């Protein structure tokens, strides 16, 4: 991560005083913390949506390697537009993609159909909120990728984990990643602000100032995007936001254990001085 010293943060109308402005680049970190599950609100938001997800999709290599060891079918929870589901199907896995956003699932299916029936026929889509998850079959691999576990309200998380565990094959696995925050750091500075340019190829220049606000008492976070799009004739500004939950490591481990799952593998990388990206591979308890 690099401290922003230029002017992009002032190009859009951000009414909130930035505590720190950071420019992200694909080489700076493997994932952009806390942003992966934002859904595109309309066609004009697609560029931002893809920019947030595209450069930070290195986790697919780890998840594909795990799928090769477990086999399918694969359950992709919070699939979005198919960032994982479509490549998994291209690699021969049967995938059930679950998401609450109908537009995202439509884009997923359009992408699969453009590739061909050999991919489309391997994908089943289910529209539902993860907090109300009800599964109908067994899976060898379940994925809560892109910090999707942080999209599940903490009171609903134990039941969701139990539902997943009950539908895993005896030799199956649940793989999930989440962003672990330093509690003392959040208490000292509950806000983060950064700016970046969205790569577009349609003659529009798009700058974004993003504001991440943590509420430690409520274990929640909100990310707000202040967007400025300009072309030769006009400037347009818009605001979008996404809400997530702070995942506390101790609580998550207790919930996994209560669901009958054990952590078989844990990997982490530091994203900044107070933030870690943690990947867990969980197996059914013997």
């Amino acid at each position: 991560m690099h401290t922003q010293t230029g002017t992009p943060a002032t190009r859009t109308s951000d009414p909130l005083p930035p505590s720190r402005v950071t420019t992200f680049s694909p080489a700076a970190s493997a994932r952009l913390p806390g942003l992966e599950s934002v859904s595109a609100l309309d066609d004009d938001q697609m560029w931002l949506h893809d920019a947030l997800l595209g450069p930070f999709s290195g986790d697919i290599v780890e998840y594909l390697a795990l799928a090769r060891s477990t086999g399918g079918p694969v359950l992709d929870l919070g699939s979005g537009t198919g960032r994982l589901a479509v490549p998994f199907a291209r690699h021969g896995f049967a995938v059930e993609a679950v998401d609450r956003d109908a537009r995202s699932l439509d884009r997923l299916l359009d992408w699969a159909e453009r590739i061909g029936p050999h991919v489309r026929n391997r994908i089943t889509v289910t529209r539902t909120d993860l907090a109300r998850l009800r599964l109908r079959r067994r899976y060898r691999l379940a994925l809560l990728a892109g910090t999707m576990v942080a999209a599940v309200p903490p009171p609903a998380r134990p039941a969701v984990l139990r539902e997943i565990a009950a539908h895993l094959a005896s030799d199956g696995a649940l793989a999930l990643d989440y962003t672990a925050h330093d509690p003392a750091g959040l208490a000292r500075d509950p806000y983060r602000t950064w700016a970046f340019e969205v790569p577009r190829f349609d003659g529009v220049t798009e700058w974004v100032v993003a504001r991440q606000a943590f509420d430690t008492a409520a274990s929640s976070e909100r990310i707000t995007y202040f967007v400025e799009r300009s072309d030769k004739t006009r400037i347009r500004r818009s605001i979008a936001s996404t809400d997530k939950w702070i995942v506390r490591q101790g609580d998550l481990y207790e919930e996994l254990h209560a669901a009958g799952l054990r952590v078989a593998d844990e990997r982490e990388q530091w994203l900044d001085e107070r933030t870690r990206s943690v990947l867990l591979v969980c197996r059914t308890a013997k």
Side-chain angles (χ1 to χ4, degrees):
M1 298 183 178
H2 308 283
T3 300
Q4 173 68 26
T5 58
T7 59
T10 64
R11 292 177 58 91
T12 189
S13 52
D14 184 356
L16 302 172
S19 60
R20 179 167 57 198
V21 178
T22 305
T23 296
F24 287 83
S25 67
S29 86
R31 301 183 183 93
L32 190 61
L35 305 180
E36 296 86 342
S37 69
V38 62
S39 295
L41 303 178
D42 53 41
D43 290 341
D44 210 24
Q45 295 280 355
M46 295 300 184
W47 293 95
L48 172 59
H49 179 264
D50 291 343
L52 292 172
L53 293 176
F56 303 97
S57 298
D59 58 345
I60 189 172
V61 176
E62 295 175 274
Y63 288 128
L64 271 173
L66 181 60
R68 292 191 179 102
S69 69
T70 63
V74 175
L75 175 66
D76 183 10
L77 295 165
S79 63
T81 58
R83 180 177 72 94
L84 297 179
V86 174
F88 269 60
R90 293 188 73 169
H91 281 263
F93 294 99
V95 183
E96 181 173 353
V98 178
D99 202 278
R100 68 182 180 182
D101 184 63
R103 181 185 291 268
S104 294
L105 292 176
D106 287 342
R107 291 187 74 205
L108 184 158
L109 293 177
D110 287 344
W111 182 14
E113 287 171 356
R114 288 197 303 271
I115 297 171
H118 65 291
V119 171
R120 173 61 184 90
N121 293 342
R122 295 189 184 113
I123 297 176
T124 302
V125 298
T126 300
R127 183 187 176 194
T128 189
D129 193 305
L130 294 186
R132 296 188 290 272
L133 184 66
R134 295 294 182 271
L135 300 171
R136 300 179 298 275
R137 59 184 299 189
R138 298 183 77 80
Y139 310 89
R140 291 190 176 275
L141 177 61
L143 300 175
L144 276 166
T147 72
M148 281 308 304
V149 69
V152 180
R157 200 165 60 209
V160 172
L161 293 175
R162 289 195 301 269
E163 181 73 6
I164 296 169
H167 290 82
L168 282 180
S170 59
D171 56 349
L174 163 65
L176 63 92
D177 60 73
Y178 68 97
T179 304
H181 302 281
D182 171 50
L186 288 186
R188 288 193 305 270
D189 182 8
Y191 302 102
R192 299 180 186 181
T193 304
W194 63 94
F196 57 95
E197 184 175 9
V198 175
R200 296 185 64 145
F201 312 98
D202 60 349
V204 175
T205 300
E206 181 167 340
W207 278 96
V208 177
V209 172
R211 171 71 171 225
Q212 192 172 20
F214 296 90
D215 184 337
T216 55
S219 294
S220 65
E221 62 175 288
R222 165 164 285 197
I223 308 168
T224 304
Y225 306 93
F226 302 88
V227 184
E228 180 183 280
R229 302 181 182 94
S230 59
D231 54 30
K232 294 180 179 180
T233 60
R234 60 176 177 165
I235 296 175
R236 292 170 294 152
R237 294 181 176 90
S238 63
I239 298 175
S241 64
T242 185
D243 294 296
K244 302 181 77 172
W245 301 94
I246 298 172
V247 176
R248 303 187 188 278
Q249 185 174 20
D251 294 343
L252 178 60
Y253 272 62
E254 289 181 6
E255 292 160 1
L256 290 167
H257 178 74
L261 296 167
R262 60 182 176 85
V263 176
D265 189 15
E266 179 177 353
R267 309 168 203 171
E268 66 176 46
Q269 67 179 57
W270 286 94
L271 300 174
D272 60 29
E273 66 277 6
R274 63 177 187 176
T275 311
R276 291 172 293 126
S277 177
V278 182
L279 170 66
L280 300 181
V281 179
C282 306
R283 304 278 183 173
T284 54
K286 302 289 186 178

